[in-house]
Amino acid sequence: MKILAGNSNRPLAQAIADYLDLPLTDAAVRRFADEEVFVEIHENVRGEDVFVLQSTAYPANDNLMELLICIDALKRSSARRITAVLPYFGYARQDRKPGPRTPISAKLVANLITTAGADRVLSMDLHAGQIQGFFDIPTDNLYAAPVMSADIRSRFSAKNLMVVSPDVGGVVRARALAKRLDNAPLAIVDKRRERAGESEVMNIIGDVSGRFCILVDDIVDSAGTLCNAAAALMEAGAEGVAAYVSHGVLSGGAVARVESSALTELVITDSIGVPQAVKDAAKIRLLTIAPLFAEAVKRIADETSVSSLFD
């Protein structure tokens, strides 16, 4: 088996390769003067089981094109099987028609990846589980919950914990994490979103008084929802609030917003390559998912169970 890395998240790709004691495939993924993407693989991949690691985060379109061209290069080089490894699947929030004459872009991206020549897809904490059905090829959706729950136990085991979903749509995710934390109680933040990127907290469903709250979500983008939720929880009598989020998109002024918020800390995974501003932030901490993905890659290559990772 071989691991080919695009440019979106080289540190994670290297960490996965190190865990598996494999070198990254020697390849050049670069741009021409007019920003066209060019891929050249410098070693034989004929008959190999190749995993292409590329998060389609910012700049989403550039990283998506890199992924598609890497897949095409491998297919034309006679790779036996190509698995697209997307720690973060961009366009996942466009998984339905929110209004008339709007696209379902997540389905379009799934079609592009399949048409390019991918035989399998491996991702983590897809925004909606049904996105797996957008692909006409086998798709494995990993969960960051085991990594998060282990970290929560090591840092907050002495606290009176309560898991909180920042919206109604995330209740299943929050309940799954609460179950891993010895069936911790669950609360829900009821909010109203007036427009994209903005949210207004309405009320808290559940008694959070005296509890240390763990907010859990799949994506933090502008961080408005999390920061508003943290403020509402503290007003409701919470002892403190920490947030655990799978994908730290953190666009615009999100980092500054988190730093000035009521959050004790925001914990994100390294599914997306982080800029220096995030590394320097006092309230933002990274959890690595390299061992989780490395184990999944190994099991796919060995044709053994991936789901047993979460038993």
Short mmCIF file of all heavy atoms in Angstrom, two decimals, residues 25 52-53 56 58 68 75 77 80 85 95 98 102 107-108 150 158 169 196 202 208 241 246 251 272 280 309:
data_model
loop_
_atom_site.label_atom_id
_atom_site.label_comp_id
_atom_site.label_asym_id
_atom_site.label_seq_id
_atom_site.Cartn_x
_atom_site.Cartn_y
_atom_site.Cartn_z
N THR A 25 4.42 8.69 -0.64
CA THR A 25 4.75 8.47 -2.05
C THR A 25 5.43 9.70 -2.64
O THR A 25 4.96 10.84 -2.43
CB THR A 25 3.47 8.14 -2.85
OG1 THR A 25 2.89 6.95 -2.32
CG2 THR A 25 3.78 7.93 -4.32
N VAL A 52 -5.10 8.42 -1.04
CA VAL A 52 -4.81 9.83 -1.34
C VAL A 52 -5.39 10.68 -0.23
O VAL A 52 -6.60 10.73 -0.05
CB VAL A 52 -5.44 10.26 -2.69
CG1 VAL A 52 -4.99 11.67 -3.04
CG2 VAL A 52 -5.07 9.30 -3.79
N LEU A 53 -4.51 11.33 0.53
CA LEU A 53 -4.99 12.13 1.67
C LEU A 53 -5.06 13.60 1.29
O LEU A 53 -4.06 14.20 0.93
CB LEU A 53 -4.05 11.94 2.87
CG LEU A 53 -4.66 12.48 4.17
CD1 LEU A 53 -4.45 11.53 5.32
CD2 LEU A 53 -4.10 13.86 4.52
N THR A 56 -10.55 18.85 1.86
CA THR A 56 -11.01 19.88 0.92
C THR A 56 -11.48 21.11 1.70
O THR A 56 -12.61 21.57 1.56
CB THR A 56 -12.12 19.33 0.00
OG1 THR A 56 -13.13 18.70 0.80
CG2 THR A 56 -11.55 18.32 -0.95
N TYR A 58 -10.28 25.22 3.11
CA TYR A 58 -9.83 26.44 2.44
C TYR A 58 -8.39 26.29 1.94
O TYR A 58 -7.54 25.83 2.69
CB TYR A 58 -9.93 27.64 3.39
CG TYR A 58 -9.38 28.92 2.80
CD1 TYR A 58 -10.18 29.72 2.01
CD2 TYR A 58 -8.06 29.30 3.02
CE1 TYR A 58 -9.69 30.89 1.45
CE2 TYR A 58 -7.56 30.47 2.47
CZ TYR A 58 -8.37 31.26 1.68
OH TYR A 58 -7.88 32.40 1.13
N LEU A 68 -8.82 15.57 -7.22
CA LEU A 68 -9.32 14.95 -8.45
C LEU A 68 -8.18 14.62 -9.40
O LEU A 68 -8.15 13.54 -10.02
CB LEU A 68 -10.32 15.89 -9.14
CG LEU A 68 -11.60 16.22 -8.35
CD1 LEU A 68 -12.44 17.23 -9.11
CD2 LEU A 68 -12.41 14.97 -8.04
N LYS A 75 -5.04 6.67 -11.46
CA LYS A 75 -5.82 5.78 -12.30
C LYS A 75 -5.10 5.51 -13.62
O LYS A 75 -5.05 4.37 -14.10
CB LYS A 75 -7.19 6.39 -12.57
CG LYS A 75 -8.18 5.45 -13.24
CD LYS A 75 -9.56 6.08 -13.33
CE LYS A 75 -10.56 5.15 -13.97
NZ LYS A 75 -10.81 3.94 -13.17
N SER A 77 -2.01 5.59 -14.00
CA SER A 77 -0.76 4.88 -13.70
C SER A 77 -1.02 3.44 -13.27
O SER A 77 -0.13 2.78 -12.75
CB SER A 77 0.00 5.62 -12.60
OG SER A 77 0.25 6.96 -12.96
N ARG A 80 -4.07 -0.28 -8.44
CA ARG A 80 -5.09 -1.33 -8.32
C ARG A 80 -6.36 -0.81 -7.66
O ARG A 80 -7.47 -1.11 -8.09
CB ARG A 80 -4.53 -2.50 -7.49
CG ARG A 80 -5.55 -3.63 -7.25
CD ARG A 80 -4.90 -4.81 -6.56
NE ARG A 80 -4.33 -4.45 -5.27
CZ ARG A 80 -5.03 -4.42 -4.12
NH1 ARG A 80 -6.32 -4.70 -4.13
NH2 ARG A 80 -4.44 -4.11 -2.99
N VAL A 85 -8.98 9.76 0.85
CA VAL A 85 -9.05 9.97 2.30
C VAL A 85 -9.27 11.46 2.53
O VAL A 85 -8.39 12.27 2.30
CB VAL A 85 -7.76 9.49 3.00
CG1 VAL A 85 -7.87 9.68 4.51
CG2 VAL A 85 -7.48 8.03 2.66
N ASP A 95 -25.92 19.83 1.64
CA ASP A 95 -26.36 18.44 1.47
C ASP A 95 -27.84 18.32 1.16
O ASP A 95 -28.39 17.22 1.12
CB ASP A 95 -26.03 17.63 2.72
CG ASP A 95 -26.74 18.16 3.96
OD1 ASP A 95 -27.18 19.33 3.94
OD2 ASP A 95 -26.84 17.42 4.95
N PRO A 98 -32.03 24.00 0.44
CA PRO A 98 -32.66 24.83 1.48
C PRO A 98 -33.72 25.77 0.92
O PRO A 98 -34.47 26.39 1.67
CB PRO A 98 -31.48 25.62 2.06
CG PRO A 98 -30.51 25.71 0.92
CD PRO A 98 -30.66 24.44 0.13
N THR A 102 -31.64 25.98 -5.84
CA THR A 102 -30.34 25.89 -5.18
C THR A 102 -29.73 24.51 -5.43
O THR A 102 -30.46 23.54 -5.65
CB THR A 102 -30.46 26.12 -3.66
OG1 THR A 102 -31.40 25.20 -3.12
CG2 THR A 102 -30.90 27.55 -3.36
N LYS A 107 -23.52 16.38 -3.25
CA LYS A 107 -23.75 15.29 -4.20
C LYS A 107 -22.89 15.50 -5.45
O LYS A 107 -22.32 14.55 -6.00
CB LYS A 107 -25.23 15.21 -4.56
CG LYS A 107 -25.58 14.27 -5.71
CD LYS A 107 -25.15 12.82 -5.43
CE LYS A 107 -25.59 11.91 -6.56
NZ LYS A 107 -24.99 10.56 -6.45
N LEU A 108 -22.80 16.74 -5.92
CA LEU A 108 -21.98 17.05 -7.09
C LEU A 108 -20.51 16.68 -6.82
O LEU A 108 -19.85 16.05 -7.66
CB LEU A 108 -22.09 18.54 -7.44
CG LEU A 108 -21.13 19.05 -8.52
CD1 LEU A 108 -21.39 18.36 -9.85
CD2 LEU A 108 -21.26 20.56 -8.67
N ALA A 150 -11.68 10.36 25.32
CA ALA A 150 -10.46 10.04 26.06
C ALA A 150 -9.82 11.32 26.60
O ALA A 150 -9.34 11.35 27.74
CB ALA A 150 -9.48 9.29 25.15
N ALA A 158 -12.85 15.01 37.12
CA ALA A 158 -13.29 15.43 38.45
C ALA A 158 -14.48 16.39 38.39
O ALA A 158 -15.06 16.72 39.43
CB ALA A 158 -12.13 16.08 39.19
N GLY A 169 -30.07 19.91 15.66
CA GLY A 169 -29.54 18.98 14.66
C GLY A 169 -28.37 18.16 15.14
O GLY A 169 -28.06 17.12 14.56
N ALA A 196 -27.14 33.24 7.22
CA ALA A 196 -25.95 32.39 7.22
C ALA A 196 -24.81 33.05 8.00
O ALA A 196 -24.53 34.23 7.83
CB ALA A 196 -25.51 32.09 5.79
N MET A 202 -31.68 31.19 21.94
CA MET A 202 -33.00 31.48 22.50
C MET A 202 -33.10 31.00 23.94
O MET A 202 -33.33 31.76 24.85
CB MET A 202 -34.08 30.84 21.63
CG MET A 202 -34.06 31.30 20.19
SD MET A 202 -34.26 33.08 20.01
CE MET A 202 -35.96 33.27 20.48
N VAL A 208 -28.44 23.24 33.55
CA VAL A 208 -26.97 23.21 33.50
C VAL A 208 -26.35 23.85 34.74
O VAL A 208 -25.12 23.97 34.84
CB VAL A 208 -26.45 23.93 32.23
CG1 VAL A 208 -26.97 23.24 30.98
CG2 VAL A 208 -26.83 25.41 32.23
N VAL A 241 -17.47 26.16 30.47
CA VAL A 241 -17.85 25.59 29.17
C VAL A 241 -16.59 25.36 28.33
O VAL A 241 -15.80 26.27 28.10
CB VAL A 241 -18.80 26.53 28.38
CG1 VAL A 241 -19.24 25.86 27.08
CG2 VAL A 241 -20.00 26.92 29.21
N SER A 246 -15.01 18.64 15.71
CA SER A 246 -14.22 17.78 14.83
C SER A 246 -13.40 18.56 13.82
O SER A 246 -12.23 18.25 13.58
CB SER A 246 -15.14 16.80 14.09
OG SER A 246 -15.87 16.01 14.99
N SER A 251 -13.02 30.43 10.03
CA SER A 251 -12.85 31.46 9.00
C SER A 251 -13.09 32.86 9.57
O SER A 251 -13.67 33.02 10.65
CB SER A 251 -13.83 31.21 7.84
OG SER A 251 -15.17 31.24 8.31
N ILE A 272 -8.04 19.49 9.53
CA ILE A 272 -7.76 20.61 8.63
C ILE A 272 -6.42 21.21 9.06
O ILE A 272 -6.16 21.39 10.25
CB ILE A 272 -8.86 21.68 8.71
CG1 ILE A 272 -10.20 21.11 8.23
CG2 ILE A 272 -8.50 22.92 7.91
CD1 ILE A 272 -11.37 22.04 8.43
N ASP A 280 -1.21 29.84 17.76
CA ASP A 280 -0.83 30.82 18.79
C ASP A 280 -1.96 31.15 19.75
O ASP A 280 -1.73 31.78 20.78
CB ASP A 280 -0.35 32.11 18.12
CG ASP A 280 0.94 31.91 17.33
OD1 ASP A 280 1.64 30.92 17.59
OD2 ASP A 280 1.23 32.75 16.45
N LEU A 309 -13.37 -0.27 15.31
CA LEU A 309 -12.60 0.79 15.94
C LEU A 309 -13.43 1.54 16.97
O LEU A 309 -12.88 2.15 17.88
CB LEU A 309 -12.12 1.80 14.87
CG LEU A 309 -10.85 1.49 14.09
CD1 LEU A 309 -10.70 2.48 12.94
CD2 LEU A 309 -9.64 1.53 14.99
#
